[in-house]
Amino acid sequence: EATDKAKILPAHIYVAPPDYHLLVEEDNTLSIGLFDPVCYSRPSVDVLFESAAEIYQHQLVGIILSGANSDGAMGLKHVKDCRGVTVVQDPLEAEFKRMPQSAIKATKVDYVLSKKEILSFLLAL
């Protein structure tokens, strides 16, 4: 679970704490925030992706998986606008299709992949 001001380390996965937004800061640390929900979500994928895209630009890979609302769509668009790579789970296999469908409608994504293909894509990076 991510903590405020934690240094971002390679080969680590950070999970937003419940009811807090997670952001990436310019000094390569994480911050958590308790501001209003975005798309009824806190934590919000949009908030994380927008902050990460500003910092990492073309080095960022944003991935949207199954989800029941449109959170993440605008964040993924921002990743694309900052020249990052965008990946969306194929809505045909997603348990909840709304999140991947919203992302596909929001921007021209680079890849629409199955979960297995997403894993292969990440391992190839």
Side-chain angles (χ1 to χ4, degrees):
E1 188 171 288
T3 57
D4 198 44
K5 306 302 178 213
K7 186 80 172 157
I8 299 172
L9 301 172
H12 284 69
I13 295 173
Y14 297 94
V15 178
D19 210 28
Y20 286 90
H21 292 297
L22 183 61
L23 298 95
V24 175
E25 300 291 340
E26 288 184 25
D27 63 355
N28 206 38
T29 62
L30 298 170
S31 65
I32 57 174
L34 193 59
F35 44 92
D36 291 340
V38 175
C39 292
Y40 307 102
S41 299
R42 189 175 58 208
S44 166
V45 180
D46 283 334
V47 171
L48 174 61
F49 279 4
E50 288 172 10
S51 67
E54 291 296 319
I55 305 303
Y56 297 119
Q57 302 277 313
H58 69 278
Q59 298 172 339
L60 182 66
V61 176
I63 302 173
I64 295 291
L65 301 172
S66 174
N69 70 19
S70 63
D71 182 35
M74 292 296 99
L76 197 69
K77 180 182 182 318
H78 197 70
V79 170
K80 183 70 172 183
D81 291 346
C82 290
R83 301 183 338 265
V85 177
T86 55
V87 180
V88 175
Q89 180 182 7
D90 186 341
L92 297 176
E93 76 155 30
E95 183 176 353
F96 299 100
K97 298 172 182 0
R98 178 128 188 247
M99 209 161 162
Q101 287 173 334
S102 296
I104 290 167
K105 287 179 185 174
T107 191
K108 184 178 181 332
V109 299
D110 296 306
Y111 302 97
V112 177
L113 305 172
S114 69
K115 288 184 291 187
K116 188 174 184 178
E117 291 169 327
I118 291 171
L119 176 60
S120 296
F121 175 83
L122 291 172
L123 291 172
L125 290 177

